[in-house]
């Protein structure tokens, strides 16, 4: 897989700002931008509220460098070549070559080292290409920031999107929900701004941020992350919006200093665990083989260390040397093909295999199963009577929250409310302040005033029914009645927004802004009911995924009735296993242990009222139950689940922080695109699995036959150099596996590499291959019964060399997993490679290279008898393959 190396960062703070300090300083230590008023900070940065002039920004970019973390650059090709030796199989090969050199088996040592060089060359070349392809793909989702700049000193400022790398100290930027904080900044203005700082502090709760020009005694001695006026690179905006000035970029940020230029490493993927499990099982067999060969030859034939080169060659024969190359090539080709044909970007190559192995896909319904924009069905008061005033108050709240909080765009519910209302902007009310929606409070509040009502502000709050009602001045019976009314409407499949208001004495700005604490003692106004419109392609896509063995589970924050209604309309059953028909709510999830949740999550289809933490816990429970999980999300609240899943998936228009966390980026939020990505993953994984099955079963059969024949013959059945040349020929042919086209049957179910299944397969077919090799032993004895001495040994070696390559060619053609008879007859790179391998096996002993390798020409009788053996072997392989597929 592509690797990276650390290099020095180039970011700086400009003269006049406090100097950067060591990461996480002691309590009370000053940090850039923390001392002084906002105006003083802007002056020290030679900037202003209108932002930098473009020419000055370009000058600073040239002087201080790009705003990037201490750079992670592609590893140079020579270093990548050396690092290829760290692969387990390559390391074992290198050790075997050194052992051969120690015992003066120079020919064997040279061939082994040549094999190591070829393996490293192919692997490093393919990884280098994959690294370049991945870097090109990542450019398509490069993160940008909204910056305020001017073309000249007298020109008006304007907002525009620029790459994060082009930001410089002194730039004024806008922040909105889901944005990554692109550098260390000082907040100048804010409306309900909260940020996640868990990457720096480890605290999961979002922190409120707002301007602070006067020292706050309560913050005396507090650390830098407790300062409300400071935001740091590595954090992300949870809710609200704000304007800030950049105080430090690149290597001068606290994130860069704290991480010391090292990116956080992701844990092993499902694919990595599968391949490593298979790899280390085989390596144990390889390490046991040489001692067993030496002991058996010493006990039965009285041979000593002269058989060590042969023992080393046998161990090499077990090695699937091309595994790293095949894996890298297959995954890189699949990722490039997805990007080219579907606009799907795979940011982490092993994630492509994990996509093919996904058997549970978790997603929110909005924008995936339904259209992004619901429609307003009705607006009613507390008595369930139509009331246009409810929609009017909801629209005013949405309008002024959008404008005052500087949100980049309304969310889907607000947009539907604004579309349904009649010109809310013409109202006599004007906006004063706004507390935007966040997933913790689950409400949004706009503070309004009327010019003819001096000294009075009106708070209009809308949001989730339960959250709004708990902020209203209601007695218990009235609250329960309203909750029951909302429940009846939600059970019919409607989404609900509750609206409440309150008149309060106007609060002067100098007394502080409005906070969530003011959302108390409200008067209930009514309910706005909205209906989700199913996405046109959702039903068909769900049906296709089900046929492919992918179970879809819906994790939503909506009411259980709303979620269930949408799923039923799309034909997605809420009780696929028949044991958990009710929609599972977050309240039930909170009462379950991890083991109980794993059992419930395995059966249920819809989970409602989910917070971000609930989504992550459900995904983790599914993984613990043995499923390979994918999670599709696009918002800040989806981050924990994106990290918890085997594969995090998001659309290209997702918020920046979700896009950075995802493994796969879709061109659009569409289940059809996921189906194409799953197929591409199964395509690549199918080729890798076919390579492993064919290679390992053939290698095991050859090793068993050589060990048996070696104990029966007075001479070695094959010379070490012959074994290694045979392996080189087979390795070259195996490259075709990365370019094969799996049949339709191989794409119908998740592609999972399980060690136990592989061991059963290679044991059964390996014994069949060994039987064919030992039958060839009888054929050689019959065909060469008149030969003697050195000529007989050379002919025997040639005969077995030819038979081994021919049987391996047969295995490549006949054991292609999931192929119908018609597909097996079709041409393809694998058939061509098998044909070339057979030609080499027949002709090499007849060329001048044959005698150099200790082989001689064979009589015609041998080829006739060998044809009979190969025919019987082909029949046996076909029958065994059919039996294996029926049992699966």
């Amino acid at each position: 897989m592509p690797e990276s190396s650390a290099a020095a960062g180039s970011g700086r703070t400009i003269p006049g700002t406090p100097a950067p300090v060591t990461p996480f300083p002691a309590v009370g230590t000053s940090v850039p931008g923390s001392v002084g008023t906002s105006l003083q900070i802007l002056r020290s940065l030679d900037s202003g509220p209108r932002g930098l002039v473009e020419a000055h920004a370009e000058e600073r970019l040239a002087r201080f460098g790009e705003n990037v973390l201490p750079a992670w650059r592609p590893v140079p090709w020579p270093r990548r070549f050396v690092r290829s030796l760290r692969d387990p199989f390559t390391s074992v090969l290198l050790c075997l070559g050194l052992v051969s050199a120690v015992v003066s088996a120079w020919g064997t040592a040279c061939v082994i080292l040549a094999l190591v060089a070829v393996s490293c060359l192919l692997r490093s070349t393919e990884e280098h290409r994959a690294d370049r392809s991945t870097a090109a793909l990542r450019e398509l989702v490069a993160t940008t920031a909204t910056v305020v700049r001017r073309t000249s000193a007298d020109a008006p400022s304007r907002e525009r999107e620029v790459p994060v790398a082009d930001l410089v100290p002194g730039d004024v930027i806008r922040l909105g929900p889901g944005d990554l904080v692109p550098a260390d900044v000082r907040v100048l203005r804010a409306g309900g701004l909260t940020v996640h700082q868990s990457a720096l502090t480890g605290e999961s709760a979002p922190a409120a941020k707002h301007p602070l020009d006067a020292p706050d005694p309560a913050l005396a001695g507090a650390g830098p992350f407790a300062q409300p006026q400071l935001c740091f690179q590595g954090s992300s905006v949870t809710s609200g919006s704000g304007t800030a000035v950049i105080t430090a970029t690149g290597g001068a940020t606290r994130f860069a200093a704290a991480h010391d230029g090292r990116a956080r490493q992701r844990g092993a993927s499902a694919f990595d665990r599968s391949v490593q499990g298979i790899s280390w099982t085989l390596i144990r067999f390889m390490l046991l083989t040489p001692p067993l060969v030496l002991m058996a030859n010493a006990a039965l034939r009285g041979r000593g260390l002269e058989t060590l080169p042969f023992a080393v060659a046998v161990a090499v024969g077990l090695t699937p040397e091309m595994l790293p190359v095949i894996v890298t090539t297959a995954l890189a080709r699949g990722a490039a093909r997805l990007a080219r044909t579907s606009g799907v970007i795979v940011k982490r190559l092993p994630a492509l295999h994990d996509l093919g192995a996904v058997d549970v896909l978790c997603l929110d319904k909005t924008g995936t199963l339904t259209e992004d924009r619901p429609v307003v069905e009705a607006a009613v008061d507390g008595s369930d009577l139509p009331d246009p005033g409810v929609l009017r108050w909801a629209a005013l709240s949405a309008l002024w929250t959008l404008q005052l909080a500087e949100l980049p765009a309304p969310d889907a519910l607000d947009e539907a409310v604004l579309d349904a209302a009649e010109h809310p902007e013409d109202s006599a009310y004007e906006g004063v302040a706004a507390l935007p929606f966040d997933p913790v409070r689950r409400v949004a509040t706009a503070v309004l005033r009327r010019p003819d009502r001096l000294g009075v502000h009106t708070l209009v709050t809308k949001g989730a029914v339960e959250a709004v009602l708990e902020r209203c001045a209601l007695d218990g019976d009235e609250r329960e009645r309203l909750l029951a009314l909302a429940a009846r409407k939600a059970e019919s499949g409607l989404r609900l927004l509750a609206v409440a208001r309150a008149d309060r004495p106007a609060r002067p700005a100098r007394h502080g802004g409005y906070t969530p604490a003011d959302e108390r003692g409200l008067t209930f106004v009514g309910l706005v009911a909205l209906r989700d419109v199913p996405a046109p392609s959702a039903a068909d896509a769900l049906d296709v995924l089900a046929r492919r063995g992918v179970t879809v589970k819906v994790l939503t924050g909506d009411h259980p009735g709303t979620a269930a209604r949408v799923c039923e309309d799309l034909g997605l059953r809420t009780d696929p296993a028949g044991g958990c028909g009710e929609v599972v709510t977050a309240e039930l999830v909170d009462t379950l242990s991890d083991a109980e949740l794993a059992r419930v999550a395995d059966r249920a289809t819809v989970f409602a009222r989910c917070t971000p933490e609930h989504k992550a816990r459900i995904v983790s429970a599914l993984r613990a139950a043995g499923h390979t999980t994918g999670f599709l999300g696009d918002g800040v609240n989806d981050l924990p689940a994106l990290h918890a899943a085997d594969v995090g998936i998001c659309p290209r228009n997702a918020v920046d922080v979700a896009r950075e966390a995802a493994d796969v980026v879709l061109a659009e939020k569409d289940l059809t695109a996921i189906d194409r990505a799953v197929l591409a993953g199964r395509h690549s994984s199918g080729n890798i699995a076919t390579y492993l099955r064919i290679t390992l079963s053939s290698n095991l059969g050859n090793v068993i036959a050589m060990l048996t024949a070696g104990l029966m013959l007075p001479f070695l059945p094959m010379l070490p150099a012959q074994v290694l040349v045979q392996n080189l020929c087979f390795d070259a042919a195996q490259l075709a596996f990365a370019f094969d086209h799996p049949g339709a049957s191989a794409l119908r179910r998740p592609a999972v590499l399980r060690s136990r299944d592989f061991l059963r397969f290679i044991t059964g077919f390996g014994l069949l291959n060994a039987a064919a090799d030992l039958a060839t032993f009888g054929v050689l004895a019959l065909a060469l019964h008149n030969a003697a001495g050195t000529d007989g040994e050379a002919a025997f070696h040639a005969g077995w060399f030819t038979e081994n390559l021919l049987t391996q060619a047969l295995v490549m053609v006949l054991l292609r997993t999931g192929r119908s008879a018609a597909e097996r007859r079709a041409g393809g790179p694998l058939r061509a490679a098998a044909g070339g391998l057979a030609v080499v096996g027949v002709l090499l002993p007849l060329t001048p290279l044959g005698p150099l390798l200790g082989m001689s020409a064979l009589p015609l009788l041998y080829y006739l008898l060998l044809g009979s053996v190969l025919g019987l072997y082909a029949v046996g392989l076909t029958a065994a393959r059919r039996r294996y597929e029926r049992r699966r």
Side-chain angles (χ1 to χ4, degrees):
M1 300 303 109
E3 301 175 31
S4 301
S5 64
S10 56
R12 297 287 188 274
T13 53
I14 69 169
T17 60
V21 293
T22 55
F24 302 101
V27 172
T29 304
S30 174
V31 297
S34 64
V35 179
T37 65
S38 297
L39 182 59
Q40 290 171 337
I41 296 299
L42 286 169
R43 286 176 176 172
S44 68
L45 292 165
D46 195 17
S47 182
R50 296 192 298 154
L52 294 175
V53 175
E54 290 285 359
H56 295 168
E58 293 176 2
E59 177 187 346
R60 294 186 185 189
L61 183 63
R63 184 166 24 136
F64 304 126
E66 293 185 334
N67 175 38
V68 295
L69 289 175
W72 282 74
R73 300 169 183 162
V75 178
W77 186 89
R79 184 179 299 176
R80 190 183 298 280
F81 180 89
V82 174
R83 289 188 177 184
S84 298
L85 296 173
R86 297 188 302 182
D87 177 77
F89 286 120
T90 307
S91 300
V92 171
L93 276 176
L94 183 60
C95 292
L96 294 176
L98 296 177
V99 170
S100 299
V102 169
V103 298
S104 299
W106 299 112
T108 302
C110 289
V111 174
I112 292 178
L113 294 177
L115 190 62
V116 169
V118 169
S119 177
C120 290
L121 177 66
L122 291 173
R123 182 182 184 187
S124 56
T125 299
E126 290 300 329
E127 286 189 349
H128 187 65
R129 291 176 181 172
D131 203 10
R132 289 189 302 174
S133 298
T134 303
L137 296 180
R138 289 179 66 88
E139 291 297 323
L140 297 177
V141 291
T143 302
T144 61
T146 303
V147 66
V148 178
R149 284 184 181 171
R150 297 169 288 158
T151 56
S152 65
D154 298 329
S157 59
R158 62 186 182 91
E159 297 180 5
R160 68 184 185 93
E161 294 290 315
V162 301
V164 165
D166 292 345
L167 296 176
V168 296
D171 262 330
V172 175
I173 62 172
R174 307 289 194 204
L175 297 173
D179 288 346
L180 292 170
V181 178
D184 290 355
V185 302
R186 167 77 178 247
V187 177
L188 303 177
R189 285 192 297 140
L193 181 65
T194 62
V195 300
H196 266 301
Q197 301 181 144
S198 58
L200 298 166
T201 65
E203 297 179 1
S204 58
K209 299 293 181 178
H210 56 81
L212 185 67
D213 283 339
D216 187 346
L219 297 175
F225 301 110
Q227 302 293 329
Q229 77 277 24
L230 300 179
C231 297
F232 300 95
Q233 185 181 40
S235 55
S236 59
V237 179
T238 306
S239 63
S241 61
T243 302
V245 61
I246 294 177
T247 59
T249 62
T253 63
R254 299 179 67 79
F255 185 84
H259 287 250
D260 194 22
R262 296 187 295 271
R264 292 186 295 174
Q265 298 296 315
R266 187 187 184 95
S269 67
F271 174 68
D272 294 331
R273 295 192 297 271
S274 299
V275 171
Q276 288 173 7
I278 296 170
S279 299
W280 285 109
T281 300
L282 294 171
I283 287 173
R284 293 186 187 98
F285 279 117
M286 288 173 52
L287 296 178
L288 288 174
T289 298
L292 291 176
V293 173
L294 290 174
M295 289 188 292
N297 276 275
L300 299 179
R301 289 289 177 181
R303 298 169 182 158
L305 288 178
E306 65 271 14
T307 60
L308 180 58
F310 174 70
V312 171
V314 170
V316 172
L318 272 173
T319 310
E321 302 93 345
M322 299 299 291
L323 178 61
V325 178
I326 298 295
V327 168
T328 302
T329 305
L331 295 179
R333 289 187 72 250
R337 184 169 55 249
L338 262 181
R340 184 175 62 253
T341 61
S342 304
V344 176
I345 300 169
V346 180
K347 296 166 56 181
R348 184 177 58 88
L349 283 182
L352 185 59
H353 162 270
D354 294 341
L355 267 175
V358 162
D359 60 346
V360 174
L361 175 64
C362 301
L363 46 83
D364 196 349
K365 66 180 182 62
T366 305
T368 307
L369 301 182
T370 64
E371 299 265 347
D372 271 327
R373 179 182 291 183
V375 296
V376 173
E377 184 85 357
V380 298
D381 61 15
S383 300
D384 199 17
L385 298 175
D387 184 352
V390 176
L391 182 61
R392 173 174 167 269
W393 283 116
L396 284 172
S397 176
L399 174 68
W400 288 108
T401 300
L402 175 66
Q403 294 188 15
L404 296 176
E406 299 180 349
L407 299 178
D411 67 15
L413 296 181
D414 282 351
E415 202 165 17
V417 168
L418 290 171
D419 285 345
E422 294 183 0
H423 308 293
E425 65 275 7
D426 294 339
S427 167
Y429 283 92
E430 298 176 353
V432 174
L435 301 174
F437 179 87
D438 74 65
V440 178
R441 290 166 44 243
R442 302 179 66 198
V443 298
T445 297
V447 182
L448 313 177
R449 67 178 176 88
R450 287 184 59 162
D452 58 349
R453 295 184 65 193
L454 298 178
V456 177
H457 285 171
T458 301
L459 275 68
V460 184
T461 298
K462 64 172 176 46
V465 175
E466 296 89 341
V468 171
L469 290 180
E470 73 181 17
R471 290 166 168 79
C472 292
L474 299 170
D475 59 38
D477 292 341
E478 180 66 5
R479 182 176 287 106
E480 291 300 321
R481 186 187 70 80
L482 292 173
L483 285 173
L485 170 63
R488 289 195 300 273
K489 289 186 170 296
E491 286 169 0
S492 66
L494 296 174
R495 302 175 69 180
L496 298 174
L497 281 176
V499 183
R501 59 183 289 268
D503 289 334
R504 302 281 169 79
R507 179 179 300 171
R510 65 178 180 273
H511 290 169
Y514 287 89
T515 70
D518 295 304
E519 298 169 334
R520 291 289 182 271
L522 307 178
T523 301
F524 181 76
V525 174
L527 299 172
V528 178
L530 303 100
R531 174 172 48 85
D532 283 316
V533 180
S537 62
D540 292 338
L542 287 172
D543 185 56
V544 170
L545 288 172
R547 292 201 303 271
R548 300 201 192 284
V550 178
T551 301
V552 174
K553 296 185 183 293
V554 179
L555 280 55
T556 179
D558 287 342
H559 187 279
T562 306
R565 174 63 181 272
V566 170
C567 293
E568 290 170 5
D569 290 344
L570 293 171
L572 186 63
R573 295 181 58 196
T574 58
D575 57 345
C580 194
E582 296 297 326
V583 175
V584 177
T585 63
E587 290 78 8
L588 175 59
V589 171
D590 289 334
T591 66
L592 300 175
S593 66
D594 289 343
E596 291 170 336
L597 179 59
R599 290 192 293 271
V600 171
D602 200 33
R603 299 193 307 270
T605 299
V606 181
F607 297 82
R609 296 300 192 204
C610 291
T611 65
E613 290 71 25
H614 288 125
K615 293 181 181 181
R617 190 175 172 220
I618 293 166
V619 171
S620 298
L622 288 166
R623 290 188 68 184
H627 295 287
T628 302
T629 60
F631 183 85
L632 172 63
D634 60 358
V636 177
N637 60 329
D638 294 320
L639 276 180
L642 286 169
H643 283 295
D646 289 291
V647 187
I649 310 168
C650 77
R652 190 175 298 180
N653 61 355
V655 298
D656 292 344
V657 67
R659 205 166 56 207
E660 285 296 310
D663 303 304
V664 178
V665 179
L666 307 176
E668 54 189 8
K669 195 175 183 181
D670 182 11
L671 289 180
T672 304
I674 293 182
D675 177 60
R676 291 194 294 267
V678 167
L679 280 182
R682 292 184 183 181
H683 187 137
S684 298
S685 299
N687 286 344
I688 295 168
T690 301
Y691 160 77
L692 283 170
R693 289 190 182 97
I694 291 176
T695 301
L696 295 177
S697 60
S698 180
N699 287 358
L700 180 63
N702 289 340
V703 167
I704 292 174
M706 276 197 290
L707 292 177
T708 304
L711 297 177
M712 296 172 62
L713 295 172
F715 55 85
L716 295 178
M718 288 187 73
L719 299 177
Q722 294 166 358
V723 174
L724 298 175
V725 170
Q726 172 186 281
N727 287 344
L728 282 174
C729 294
F730 196 26
D731 289 343
Q734 287 168 349
L735 279 174
F737 284 107
F739 301 89
D740 195 23
H741 304 285
S745 58
L747 305 177
R748 290 175 187 155
R749 56 183 178 270
V752 182
L753 305 177
R754 294 190 176 94
S755 301
R756 185 174 300 177
D757 292 344
F758 273 98
L759 289 176
R760 280 200 297 264
F761 184 96
I762 66 176
T763 301
F765 286 93
L767 292 174
L768 185 59
N769 183 276
D773 288 347
L774 293 175
T776 303
F777 175 78
V779 168
L780 286 168
L782 180 62
L784 304 175
H785 68 280
N786 291 326
T790 305
D791 292 340
E793 291 183 20
F796 187 95
H797 293 155
W800 210 334
F801 180 89
T802 298
E803 185 269 346
N804 279 338
L805 291 189
L806 290 177
T807 55
Q808 288 174 337
L810 270 178
V811 169
M812 289 177 66
V813 173
L814 297 180
L815 290 189
R816 298 166 81 183
T817 304
R819 290 277 183 166
S820 66
E823 288 170 328
R824 286 194 298 274
R825 287 193 297 270
L830 208 57
R831 287 179 62 85
L837 188 65
V839 170
V840 171
V842 172
L843 297 182
L844 184 61
L846 305 179
T847 66
L849 288 176
L852 294 177
L853 293 172
M855 295 184 289
S856 63
L858 292 159
L860 180 61
L861 177 61
Y862 168 74
Y863 293 105
L864 296 176
L865 295 174
L866 179 61
S868 301
V869 171
L870 293 177
L872 292 173
Y873 178 51
V875 172
L877 269 182
T878 303
R881 179 182 55 78
R882 289 175 178 170
R883 182 171 180 270
Y884 172 79
E885 290 178 351
R886 283 197 302 269
R887 293 183 63 181
R888 292 187 68 188

